[in-house]
Amino acid sequence: MIRNPVPWPHGARCAVAFTFDMDADSILHLAHHTSADTRVAALSMLRYGPEVAVPRLVDLYARFGMHQTLLLPAWCMERYPAAVETILKGGHEIAHHGYLHEHPNACERDEELYWFQRAIDVIARLTGERPRGFRAASYRFSRHSLDFLIQEGLIYDASLMGDDVPYLLENDKGQVIELPTHYAMDDWPHFMASRDLGYMMSPKSPPQAFEVYQAEFEAMWEYGGLWIAVWHPFLSGRLARCVAMAKLIEHMHQKGQVWFATLEEIAAHVRQVIADGHWTPRRDRLPYYEGPIPELGQATPTLAR
Ligand SMILES: [Zn+2]
């Protein structure tokens, strides 16, 4: 089913990374800049992430002896230093997730670079290390993002959805390793509900959502894939969901032959097997398109209405 499965360490059948995007209230300020401060219930829901869920998640993963990657908008790191300290004390990786959860593909090139570098400066100052990896806010990777990842020396991206195993993103300036996921692995469609943010979907029960995550895991285990969850502490760190998360982790450990790793460790391993000639990645060259496809010309956008 997978044509070029990665030779994972220790003969593991698949690699697993539970990653957490700790957006906290950055997304509310971005959506409602002038009124976010008055939306107290939404603020409280989002602050649950750094205040309650992150300590709980760090304790949970310590119980299993596992380390994760947490992706934090740098503004959230400045705003919630205790959460940063808890994450670092737990031995977890902190990766780049923008400055204020700004959408790269909504920015002009210079503007995107400004926020990208500003976030790197904060991460370097608060963790003592520059970030090794990046996930664009809301997966909004832009036509310039790869340039900036290469320019700033990051080794992986985790924003895209183009394969079941790692692959290379490249352009004329260089390349980075893509560690892909997809929407079924994101907790947003399963659990997000907020009047202030305009999401009025009916949240799934934990067993319904974790049935999806487990099905993805069984397939990745069978065929040698890469299982990356994209979860948010304020959503998946809620109590009943954390209980279900612990059950899934127990199941994975019982099944065995699973490599639990941070994104940084997975990227480093992939680099090594490529360098050793043990594995040849698929390559995606960016940009996919130089601009709008010419076939439509000046056709009106009503074609798809
Ligand atoms: Zn995010």
Side-chain angles (χ1 to χ4, degrees):
M1 299 287 270
I2 294 178
R3 283 202 159 174
N4 61 333
V6 180
W8 298 117
H10 321 301
R13 299 288 299 255
C14 65
V16 161
F18 296 80
T19 71
F20 294 90
D21 294 0
M22 197 201 85
D23 298 334
D25 47 317
S26 64
I27 53 178
L28 191 68
H29 297 288
L30 204 65
H32 300 291
H33 180 201
T34 58
S35 64
D37 61 311
T38 68
R39 298 174 189 255
V40 180
L43 287 168
S44 71
M45 177 189 79
L46 295 164
R47 288 168 55 93
Y48 184 97
E51 300 287 351
V52 179
V54 163
R56 173 180 293 153
L57 291 167
V58 168
D59 286 349
L60 176 69
Y61 285 94
R63 177 144 65 87
F64 289 100
M66 295 159 67
H67 297 118
Q68 300 306 331
T69 300
L70 289 95
L71 299 104
L72 277 65
W75 177 86
C76 297
M77 298 175 68
E78 294 174 327
R79 188 76 201 167
Y80 300 102
V84 172
E85 197 182 323
T86 302
I87 291 165
L88 294 177
K89 269 194 186 157
H92 303 287
E93 175 192 4
I94 289 182
H96 193 314
H97 195 45
Y99 181 75
L100 193 70
H101 212 265
E102 67 283 355
H103 294 166
N105 71 355
C107 295
E108 296 296 330
R109 183 185 171 94
D110 290 350
E111 194 181 17
E112 179 182 350
L113 180 59
Y114 167 78
W115 294 116
F116 192 78
Q117 291 178 326
R118 182 165 171 176
I120 290 175
D121 291 345
V122 173
I123 294 170
R125 177 161 47 85
L126 297 184
T127 71
E129 290 182 290
R130 289 168 62 83
R132 277 75 67 202
F134 172 72
R135 176 177 292 140
S138 306
Y139 307 105
R140 303 291 184 94
F141 196 91
S142 85
R143 58 192 302 112
H144 308 298
S145 299
L146 179 57
D147 284 355
F148 302 150
L149 287 162
I150 294 166
Q151 175 184 323
E152 297 297 329
L154 279 73
I155 64 167
Y156 74 84
D157 174 71
S159 311
L160 305 183
M161 309 189 184
D163 211 326
D164 306 300
V165 290
Y167 57 103
L168 290 184
L169 290 181
E170 60 184 19
N171 64 18
D172 291 339
K173 299 187 173 112
Q175 56 186 211
V176 301
I177 294 160
E178 178 60 39
L179 302 177
T181 186
H182 64 110
Y183 268 113
M185 296 295 294
D186 191 315
D187 57 4
W188 202 273
H190 300 300
F191 294 139
M192 183 56 173
S194 165
R195 282 178 191 271
D196 288 278
L197 289 164
Y199 293 91
M200 292 310 294
M201 305 174 297
S202 186
K204 286 184 188 168
S205 69
Q208 285 175 313
F210 278 80
E211 189 182 338
V212 174
Y213 304 139
Q214 184 165 338
E216 295 288 336
F217 167 69
E218 306 298 350
M220 292 303 190
W221 191 93
E222 192 65 37
Y223 297 108
L226 170 62
W227 187 97
I228 297 179
V230 181
W231 293 348
H232 300 77
F234 81 91
L235 292 174
S236 288
R238 285 275 170 183
L239 196 57
R241 297 160 189 169
C242 252
V243 171
M245 188 187 303
K247 282 188 189 150
L248 177 62
I249 297 170
E250 277 167 12
H251 168 73
M252 289 171 162
H253 278 283
Q254 278 167 5
K255 185 148 180 153
Q257 292 180 277
V258 177
W259 185 41
F260 298 101
T262 63
L263 296 183
E264 178 184 12
E265 290 166 339
I266 294 170
H269 172 72
V270 167
R271 279 227 293 208
Q272 195 60 50
V273 290
I274 294 172
D276 294 346
H278 292 146
W279 185 66
T280 304
R282 196 173 64 74
R283 294 161 187 270
D284 259 11
R285 191 163 180 83
L286 295 183
Y288 291 127
Y289 297 100
E290 291 299 333
I293 58 169
E295 290 86 345
L296 277 173
Q298 298 301 310
T300 60
T302 54
L303 280 179
R305 271 191 205 145

